Amino acid sequence: DAKTTQPPSMDCAEGRAANLPCNHSTISGNEYVYWYRQIHSQGPQYIIHGLKNNETNEMASLIITEDRKSSTLILPHATLRDTAVYYCIVSRIDKLIFGTGTRLQVFP
Amino acid sequence: GAVVSQHPSRVICKSGTSVKIECRSLDFQATTMFWYRQFPKQSLMLMATSNEGSKATYEQGVEKDKFLINHASLTLSTLTVTSAHPEDSSFYICSAPGTRATGELFFGEGSRLTVL
């Protein structure tokens, strides 16, 4: 599975959009981009995933570059409850290998 | 969405004893489940893939005789930490693929093991 690179931490003001970047330059054609988050002492929570096209659901938007070498997760209106570690994972199979993720801190 | 439940959520045991953690898929069947371990301030580390009706597949460096995995039915996988030691204290999390074909995983709430 392709390796991902994420900034270790980010801050975001409550109510503003949080844009979390992820680099996955070695992604192969049949690998999906997944985003999960983990709030302290809980199991990870699925956010969104995509293959080539941009995706949007009730939680977030996923923007994937045309060459698929990077992506951005967008939380349109961050709240304090969005404070968590966000993991970007690329995989073609069910087995997900987690990297170190980005610790997002939303402040009032 | 699909629900995966773990039990117990917290367990404290004495060194040398064995502890069993259960992972259940509540509203769907899972022929495969995954077990992860997470130490404080670290990421999740995949330990093994649990396969219904067959032997589990362990990741490199994970002792199969130490961490016994049984997947006896389509809704239940168990992880037994045998002869637990304080260094086995960790957050253990299971997951199962959903019914969609794109590999989305549903995670349990996690089980925090403390070995005294």
Side-chain angles (χ1 to χ4, degrees), chain A residues 56-77:
Chain A
T56 296
N57 62 19
E58 64 277 5
M59 289 183 67
S61 294
L62 173 61
I63 308 299
I64 303 174
T65 58
E66 192 169 343
D67 63 6
R68 303 211 322 127
K69 293 185 177 183
S70 65
S71 61
T72 301
L73 178 73
I74 301 173
L75 307 179
H77 305 287

Side-chain angles (χ1 to χ4, degrees), chain A:
Chain A
D1 292 337
K3 184 178 178 180
T4 62
T5 303
Q6 299 178 251
S9 64
M10 294 182 65
D11 290 339
C12 178
E14 189 177 20
R16 304 298 293 267
N19 297 281
L20 290 84
C22 179
N23 285 319
H24 33 78
S25 58
T26 59
I27 190 171
S28 57
N30 57 356
E31 288 183 315
Y32 287 81
V33 179
Y34 296 90
W35 283 84
Y36 285 77
R37 73 180 182 184
Q38 186 179 27
I39 296 170
H40 183 62
S41 294
Q42 297 181 22
Q45 175 191 23
Y46 166 81
I47 301 174
I48 199 167
H49 73 280
L51 184 61
K52 296 180 181 179
N53 301 321
N54 298 335
E55 303 287 344
T56 296
N57 62 19
E58 64 277 5
M59 289 183 67
S61 294
L62 173 61
I63 308 299
I64 303 174
T65 58
E66 192 169 343
D67 63 6
R68 303 211 322 127
K69 293 185 177 183
S70 65
S71 61
T72 301
L73 178 73
I74 301 173
L75 307 179
H77 305 287
T79 70
L80 298 178
R81 288 179 296 179
D82 291 323
T83 292
V85 178
Y86 288 75
Y87 296 98
C88 168
I89 305 165
V90 291
S91 178
R92 66 181 184 276
I93 56 176
D94 296 337
K95 186 168 72 173
L96 300 183
I97 305 299
F98 285 76
T100 53
T102 295
R103 183 171 298 278
L104 175 69
Q105 179 69 53
V106 181
F107 57 90

Side-chain angles (χ1 to χ4, degrees), chain B residues 22-56:
Chain B
E22 294 184 346
C23 178
R24 294 182 184 273
S25 55
L26 295 186
D27 52 357
F28 66 104
Q29 294 180 335
T31 56
T32 302
M33 290 185 178
F34 302 96
W35 286 95
Y36 292 82
R37 179 169 58 180
Q38 185 176 34
F39 293 110
K41 299 188 184 301
Q42 295 186 21
S43 184
L44 285 80
M45 184 197 80
L46 180 65
M47 298 176 66
T49 302
S50 172
N51 304 299
E52 187 270 334
S54 65
K55 292 182 179 180

